[in-house]
Amino acid sequence: MKRSDFKSLTQLFFILIITSSCSSSDDTPENKMITPLPTVSELVITDTANEGNSTDLKISFDLTGEVSTISSSKLIISKASTTLQASQISALKEDQFEEFSAKNTTEIYVSKVLKDTDGDIIKEDTNYTMHLALSNTDQTILSPSTKSFQFKNETIVTTLVESIEAGEDISLDSDLNLYVNGGGSDQNGQSPNIFKVTPEGDVSIFNNEVKQAVGNTFDNEGNLLATLFGTNIIYKITADGTKSEIVNDSRFFGGGGIVSLNDGVILNTFWGARKIFKIESDLSISEINIPTNGFIGFTHDKENNIAYLGNFNTGKIFKLEDDYSITEIADTPASIGHFSYANKHFYLTGFEQHKIFIVGLDGTIVEEIGTGVAGSSDGSATTATFQNPNGIEATPDGKIIYVSGGSSKIRKILPKRPS
């Protein structure tokens, strides 16, 4: 072999080595292009109904980046004292995570009782960390909550609607939307609105032609009935917001509570009048005399078809008997505005006490909510404040209470569970 040929072969050999080395280097993991995932921020955990487990958790968050790169999204809860690694996720069982589509939402409602990463059912009085795990074929990124959270069996007061000119009675429809009477809440005392408020706090005007509406309730056909402070009329308002007069009677004055019994009979009482007015299905009216004045609140146990009256002057609650006599069942310290019956409890506003009261059927005061100092701050039962709370309604299970009043807010209360 000629020396020149050997030199050429040697050069070729080194070229092949370098080319092979470069080709191999391009395929190494550290140089491979990784498909990015969005980043998670503003992770907020809300206990929506005080169930004491994960089934009422709402998790909201923001995503920054391209969501189409996500192939899998999981919500995972660990004890705050435990460190979770992305490599551990594949070993988790189905009851240890909630799978969701981060491509379509930045809000999650947990649908099942979850266990934490140690396999323990999530419970009260334990500090937890919430994790969102976003994955694609290249990687998994864990985004933990910056603060730990825990379930506590305590009453929590929040604000559902920040500013609304409504301070009177509240009723709930079958979808748990609120219908709140404006009453005399505007500067001229002539608020014409009945508001519709969704459970999420979205506000619309249900009807804008009913001035100074005080009491309201739904009849058996799903129409809203409204009593007025300044006129002698009771209105019926259909689901599309159309109003019509049921009755117009000079004996009706001062506004008050209203209930619709299971047979369609309407009962209505007024501030200062020692009477209940009974309106039959044919719209004939009769008077039922009662031995004391000051009744505003009127509520109805639909399951047992029992009506109850609340007295502003005395703070007493009465059962309306079948013969339309009344039996005292509770003596409270509240100047009762409106009040509500749900799940074998009464929920009433103490207008002058700036408090909310939960009372059992035996007359026992289960809880007083609010400091008693006028205000509108959120917090626990012992730190929250109210200003002349007036309208009130509880969901049928008693797990949420809504309150209107002098602060131009709708408040939402999650009462603690009975022990």
Side-chain angles (χ1 to χ4, degrees), residues 45-47 50-57 77 122-128 149-153 417:
I45 302 102
T46 306
D47 189 359
N50 201 9
E51 293 286 356
N53 57 44
S54 61
T55 58
D56 60 347
L57 278 181
I77 300 175
I122 295 164
K123 59 184 182 179
E124 293 175 353
D125 300 320
T126 300
N127 289 320
Y128 293 103
F149 73 97
Q150 65 174 245
F151 297 110
K152 281 186 172 293
N153 188 20
R417 299 182 305 283

Side-chain angles (χ1 to χ4, degrees), residues 79-140:
K79 294 184 181 72
S81 58
T82 301
T83 300
L84 178 64
Q85 304 291 340
S87 58
Q88 298 173 261
I89 295 175
S90 61
L92 296 177
K93 298 179 181 179
E94 286 191 2
D95 58 1
Q96 291 177 284
F97 61 85
E98 175 91 357
E99 200 152 16
F100 65 98
S101 175
K103 296 180 181 180
N104 300 322
T105 184
T106 54
E107 191 172 86
I108 311 163
Y109 287 87
V110 179
S111 62
K112 58 187 177 184
V113 175
L114 286 174
K115 294 180 179 178
D116 62 25
T117 53
D118 294 328
D120 300 322
I121 291 178
I122 295 164
K123 59 184 182 179
E124 293 175 353
D125 300 320
T126 300
N127 289 320
Y128 293 103
T129 300
M130 181 73 67
H131 306 264
L132 292 188
L134 305 182
S135 303
N136 57 27
T137 55
D138 295 328
Q139 61 178 327
T140 295

Side-chain angles (χ1 to χ4, degrees), residues 217-225 236 246 260 264 266 302:
T217 193
F218 280 98
D219 67 13
N220 298 336
E221 298 176 349
N223 303 302
L224 188 72
L225 308 179
K236 176 176 74 175
I246 295 180
S260 177
I266 299 168
K302 295 183 184 297

Side-chain angles (χ1 to χ4, degrees), residues 78-325:
S78 68
K79 294 184 181 72
S81 58
T82 301
T83 300
L84 178 64
Q85 304 291 340
S87 58
Q88 298 173 261
I89 295 175
S90 61
L92 296 177
K93 298 179 181 179
E94 286 191 2
D95 58 1
Q96 291 177 284
F97 61 85
E98 175 91 357
E99 200 152 16
F100 65 98
S101 175
K103 296 180 181 180
N104 300 322
T105 184
T106 54
E107 191 172 86
I108 311 163
Y109 287 87
V110 179
S111 62
K112 58 187 177 184
V113 175
L114 286 174
K115 294 180 179 178
D116 62 25
T117 53
D118 294 328
D120 300 322
I121 291 178
I122 295 164
K123 59 184 182 179
E124 293 175 353
D125 300 320
T126 300
N127 289 320
Y128 293 103
T129 300
M130 181 73 67
H131 306 264
L132 292 188
L134 305 182
S135 303
N136 57 27
T137 55
D138 295 328
Q139 61 178 327
T140 295
I141 295 179
L142 274 174
S143 298
S145 54
T146 55
K147 295 181 179 179
S148 63
F149 73 97
Q150 65 174 245
F151 297 110
K152 281 186 172 293
N153 188 20
E154 63 177 349
T155 295
I156 297 296
V157 180
T158 61
T159 297
L160 179 67
V161 178
E162 189 66 37
S163 180
I164 185 171
E165 291 299 324
E168 288 288 349
D169 206 1
I170 303 172
S171 289
L172 299 177
D173 66 14
S174 58
D175 295 321
L176 301 184
N177 296 300
L178 291 70
Y179 294 77
V180 192
N181 283 356
S185 58
D186 72 350
Q187 292 181 350
N188 300 315
Q190 296 288 318
S191 176
N193 295 324
I194 297 176
F195 296 91
K196 179 179 179 179
V197 182
T198 69
E200 295 74 35
D202 298 322
V203 179
S204 59
I205 294 176
F206 179 58
N207 184 280
N208 63 356
E209 301 174 320
V210 184
K211 289 187 177 181
Q212 296 181 288
V214 177
N216 67 23
T217 193
F218 280 98
D219 67 13
N220 298 336
E221 298 176 349
N223 303 302
L224 188 72
L225 308 179
T227 67
L228 311 185
F229 186 84
T231 72
N232 311 121
I233 302 170
I234 295 177
Y235 281 116
K236 176 176 74 175
I237 308 171
T238 59
D240 64 0
T242 303
K243 73 175 177 65
S244 60
E245 289 186 10
I246 295 180
V247 290
N248 188 339
D249 192 287
S250 61
R251 292 170 293 179
F252 296 174
F253 62 93
I258 184 170
V259 296
S260 177
L261 301 181
N262 294 352
D263 59 1
V265 169
I266 299 168
L267 299 176
N268 190 200
T269 189
F270 292 93
W271 165 257
R274 298 187 180 190
K275 296 174 181 176
I276 300 170
F277 294 95
K278 179 182 179 183
I279 305 169
E280 306 283 358
S281 55
D282 63 0
L283 302 183
S284 61
I285 302 170
S286 58
E287 299 179 5
I288 302 167
N289 292 316
I290 49 180
T292 184
N293 64 358
F295 286 112
I296 298 176
F298 220 162
T299 192
H300 183 213
D301 171 4
K302 295 183 184 297
E303 182 179 354
N304 297 296
N305 199 31
I306 300 173
Y308 296 94
L309 293 149
N311 193 286
F312 183 90
N313 295 346
T314 66
K316 293 182 177 182
I317 297 173
F318 297 86
K319 176 185 176 184
L320 188 65
E321 303 290 354
D322 291 340
D323 62 358
Y324 295 102
S325 63

